[in-house]
Amino acid sequence: MTRSCDIFYQNVKICETTVLKAKSLTTLIVRRKPGRNPAAGLLQFGNRVVECRLGRTGIRTLKMEGDGATPPGSFRILFGYMRHDRLRRSRTQIRMRSISKIDGWCDDTHSASYNKPVRLPFGSSHEKMMRDDRLYDVCIVLNYNISPVIRNKGSAIFFHQTSEARQPTQGCVAIEPKTMQRLLPMLSGNTVLTVLS
């Protein structure tokens, strides 16, 4: 069932309320949306396209820590985090970890734990995975700068939910919570998110 949509891009309907029947997705494709906003993107899966948010400086090949850019490339889904205190458990093929107050992610380029999950409290610069906003209520870890980790190449590049104000990300790809809930059952460790430059 699809609610009416009036946005079209390259003859593909953009609608975030489509009920999907596919069992598994192997590819998600992200590209910048035409226009002046570098943080506006489009996420394609199968023959569907939904709007997404990119880093505040758009897609950049020379990604560096703190530049607010989304890196181009193909990144496999590794695992995910979920706020089970806010959301009911969703059916998915991804290994999902329940987020707790001790979960963090290191973004300190000088730390041996750079771009790795850490337990809080943690002495070096890091992100808290349990946030007050909804961004990481569902947060999927992508295989970007993971193995090997390259210093200053960027950390915590996730596929997560948009903010309520749909603000740009710090370099991640973000979609609306309703869209994420519909996608989760079709994502697996074989799913690759490809960001086109």
Side-chain angles (χ1 to χ4, degrees):
M1 181 182 77
T2 304
R3 296 184 188 176
S4 61
C5 301
D6 58 1
I7 303 173
F8 285 81
Y9 177 69
Q10 293 182 345
N11 298 322
V12 180
K13 188 176 287 189
I14 298 173
C15 183
E16 295 182 348
T17 55
T18 303
V19 176
L20 306 168
K21 295 180 180 179
K23 291 183 179 180
S24 182
L25 290 171
T26 56
T27 306
L28 305 172
I29 298 174
V30 175
R31 61 176 54 88
R32 184 177 168 190
K33 183 178 179 181
R36 294 185 177 182
N37 184 357
L42 296 170
L43 172 74
Q44 179 179 345
F45 47 99
N47 64 351
R48 307 290 183 188
V49 175
V50 295
E51 295 188 12
C52 65
R53 286 293 173 263
L54 306 171
R56 66 181 187 277
T57 57
I59 299 170
R60 286 190 184 175
T61 302
L62 298 176
K63 168 70 182 170
M64 301 293 283
E65 182 67 40
D67 65 1
T70 299
S74 294
F75 314 115
R76 188 170 55 86
I77 288 175
L78 298 179
F79 64 92
Y81 290 95
M82 183 176 284
R83 284 288 299 267
H84 288 121
D85 59 325
R86 291 183 176 175
L87 302 172
R88 61 180 173 79
R89 293 185 183 272
S90 299
R91 186 171 51 87
T92 182
Q93 301 173 61
I94 304 170
R95 290 184 301 117
M96 299 296 287
R97 301 179 182 179
S98 184
I99 296 177
S100 72
K101 293 180 180 179
I102 64 169
D103 288 313
W105 197 278
C106 178
D107 56 13
D108 184 344
T109 60
H110 300 293
S111 171
S113 298
Y114 177 59
N115 200 29
K116 295 178 182 175
V118 293
R119 293 174 69 87
L120 306 181
F122 184 71
S124 299
S125 177
H126 61 276
E127 283 195 55
K128 292 181 180 178
M129 299 304 293
M130 183 172 274
R131 300 173 57 108
D132 292 333
D133 59 28
R134 70 185 191 185
L135 262 65
Y136 292 174
D137 285 5
V138 176
C139 177
I140 297 171
V141 179
L142 302 173
N143 189 22
Y144 173 77
N145 198 26
I146 297 286
S147 180
V149 174
I150 300 172
R151 303 285 178 200
N152 208 38
K153 196 67 176 172
S155 62
I157 301 300
F158 302 140
F159 179 40
H160 61 72
Q161 299 186 154
T162 56
S163 66
E164 292 184 5
R166 297 184 181 181
Q167 295 173 328
T169 71
Q170 296 300 312
C172 301
V173 176
I175 58 175
E176 288 289 306
K178 287 183 179 179
T179 307
M180 182 67 82
Q181 289 299 317
R182 287 177 169 87
L183 270 177
L184 272 176
M186 296 178 289
L187 302 179
S188 74
N190 294 320
T191 304
V192 173
L193 185 145
T194 296
V195 179
L196 303 177
S197 57

